[in-house]
Each structure stands twice: as C-alpha cells, then as structure tokens.
Amino acid sequence: LPNRLRNLTSLEDLWGARVDSACTAEELGHLTQLRILEVYLRRDKEGRWDERVCKALVASLGKLHRIQSLIVRTWDDNLVPDLEGSVESLSNLSYLFIDKTKSLPTWISPASLVLLSYLDIGVFQVRSEDIQVLGKLQALRSLKIYMFDDQHVLGNLQVLERFMVSPDAFPCVIKCEFRGFTTVPSMFPPGAMPRLEELTFLPEDLSGGEFTVDDLALGHLPSLQIVHVRLYGEGNVIEEKLSHEVDVHPNHPKLSSY
C-alpha cells in the first residue's frame, strides 16, 4: 500500500490490504470513514510478529468507529495476533471474520459487540465457556466456529467435555456451524436456538463415549430445516438415529451426512 494512504479520508471499503509494516498499520487509523476493512497480516523473515505492527494496527482499529465489517487474515498458516485493546471502536461491528487465532478473543462478548450478526472464526482451542459466551450475543444470526489441530489441519475431531448452554442462548441464530470439535443437539436445551434453520455439527463416536444416541434428538429445535453432520466411528448408528429424528420432526428437515 502507498505511504500516503492516509489521504484517502473518504474511503469506506478497503479489501485485501497487506499489513506488514508499522507504517501501513498506522496509516489505516486515518481512514476514519471505513465501514469495511479486510487486512492480511504477515510475519517478518524470521517468522516472528513485529510487535510494532500489531500495536499500530490495534491503535488504528481504535480510531475506526464506523467499522461494520472486519476481516483479519494471515498471509500463511500463522496465527492472527491478539487484537486486545480495540474493543470500544468495534461497537458497530456486524460482521467479523478471523482466520486463525489461538482461542476466542476476550473482546468477543455481549457487552462489546452488541450488533454482531455474523461471526466466522478459526481457533486452536475451544472451551465450553466460549460457546456460552457466544450464546449471549443477542444480535448473532450466523455462527461458524472451527477448530484446527497443531498441524493447522481442520478435520481431526477434538472432544469437548459435556456441557449445556442456557435455555435463552442464541436467540436470533439462523445458521450455526461447528467443525473440528464435538457437538450434539442436546447441548442446546429447549428454548435455546429458537430460530435455528441450519445446523452443522460433529458428534463423537458413540461407542463407549460420553454421549449416547439420545443426545441427537432434534425435536426441541422448532425452526430446523437443514442438518449437516460428519460421521465418526459408529456412523450407521448416528445416521439411523438422525434419520428418525428428521422424520418425526414437524418440519422434516433435510439431512446431509458425510
């Protein structure tokens, strides 16, 4: 990007901005009319994050009070650095995409992101507390959260401890996608996800695991239209149970398994 990027003071959309210097990161802070911002972050030649770049980017985000859509990607398979400190400026955010980060950032919370309706995030660690927090995002309509393993591979199932969100969780979510870690419908009790139409989840092998086929019941999700499920282990048992569930559900949701 040119060093005089700061002169584009009326710019509202900026896509594909490669931020690999503190100078470029600082320039972004002068674009106070930005509503959509997509940035690519890149490590230095030694494979390290330049702390000056990260600090300058956070400082710039703190000045962009009109931001509605923020997309943060890395140039390679590296993690997105922590963006703590930019919370106040993101109060108008409705769309958030983060490529890969260690865990759910603490600033993704009901108090700081009251307008967030779309969240797409890749993490290397998911805790049951994270799902509880996401369930309290009152405006959230679409959620995609996926977990990578140590080799940055999506596909190896990570087993979470059994948990259950509150009955008023995910009040506006229409589409929900969980990948890379164990989830079952029983984690969302009656009252939760009342508007959910499309669900993607990955149950663990039910043979000797913590979950049973009863955890696959779908009747408490009244708006359900489409179910995507990835099968592990006892796939036939899971598919048979889900086929029964969609048959007896009032909406007869479409079942897709792989």
Side-chain angles (χ1 to χ4, degrees):
L1 289 174
N3 291 335
R4 295 178 182 176
L5 182 67
R6 68 175 63 199
N7 295 332
L8 303 177
T9 54
S10 297
L11 196 65
E12 295 186 0
D13 293 9
L14 178 59
W15 295 84
R18 191 174 84 179
V19 179
D20 52 7
S21 71
C23 178
T24 300
E26 192 274 333
E27 294 264 316
L28 292 175
H30 295 272
L31 307 180
T32 56
Q33 300 300 309
L34 276 180
R35 297 178 184 273
I36 300 175
L37 174 62
E38 180 191 37
V39 296
Y40 281 84
L41 304 180
R42 192 172 187 176
R43 293 178 184 257
D44 61 22
K45 295 180 179 179
E46 285 72 38
R48 299 171 298 187
W49 288 115
D50 186 335
E51 291 187 7
R52 296 171 299 174
V53 175
C54 297
K55 289 181 179 179
L57 179 60
V58 169
S60 289
L61 289 175
K63 301 173 184 177
L64 305 181
H65 300 287
R66 292 176 176 262
I67 282 289
Q68 297 175 358
S69 297
L70 176 62
I71 302 163
V72 184
R73 303 179 186 272
T74 53
W75 199 256
D76 42 35
D77 284 336
N78 293 311
L79 294 176
V80 171
D82 195 356
L83 297 179
E84 295 292 348
S86 59
V87 177
E88 293 183 4
S89 70
L90 301 179
S91 59
N92 289 319
L93 202 64
S94 62
Y95 181 106
L96 177 60
F97 175 97
I98 300 180
D99 196 6
K100 299 182 185 75
T101 186
K102 183 177 181 181
S103 59
L104 190 73
T106 57
W107 51 267
I108 297 182
S109 69
S112 59
L113 299 178
V114 296
L115 300 179
L116 189 67
S117 62
Y118 183 101
L119 175 61
D120 188 329
I121 184 171
V123 297
F124 284 76
Q125 178 186 9
V126 175
R127 303 170 303 168
S128 59
E129 304 96 283
D130 297 333
I131 308 301
Q132 303 281 8
V133 168
L134 295 176
K136 296 178 181 178
L137 294 170
Q138 296 299 301
L140 193 64
R141 294 171 62 85
S142 178
L143 170 64
K144 181 178 180 180
I145 179 169
Y146 42 97
M147 187 160 68
F148 295 89
D149 61 19
D150 293 338
Q151 283 72 47
H152 295 202
V153 175
L154 177 64
N156 298 320
L157 184 67
Q158 306 294 314
V159 179
L160 290 186
E161 61 184 14
R162 175 183 283 273
F163 70 93
M164 183 180 294
V165 300
S166 60
D168 60 349
F170 299 101
C172 293
V173 165
I174 294 175
K175 182 177 182 179
C176 193
E177 188 171 341
F178 301 109
R179 293 184 181 274
F181 59 98
T182 305
T183 44
V184 290
S186 66
M187 295 175 173
F188 311 99
M193 293 190 171
R195 301 182 183 181
L196 183 69
E197 297 180 5
E198 185 172 349
L199 174 64
T200 301
F201 69 99
L202 294 83
E204 70 166 340
D205 183 354
L206 300 180
S207 58
E210 185 176 2
F211 301 98
T212 69
V213 291
D214 292 334
D215 290 300
L216 302 176
L218 300 172
H220 58 290
L221 300 172
S223 302
L224 200 60
Q225 300 291 337
I226 303 173
V227 178
H228 304 282
V229 60
R230 179 169 181 175
L231 302 176
Y232 287 87
E234 298 293 323
N236 292 335
V237 174
I238 295 173
E239 190 169 22
E240 181 179 343
K241 172 62 174 176
L242 288 175
S243 295
H244 170 73
E245 288 296 321
V246 298
D247 284 342
V248 300
H249 194 286
N251 299 338
H252 303 296
K254 179 182 178 181
L255 175 62
S256 172
S257 60
Y258 59 100

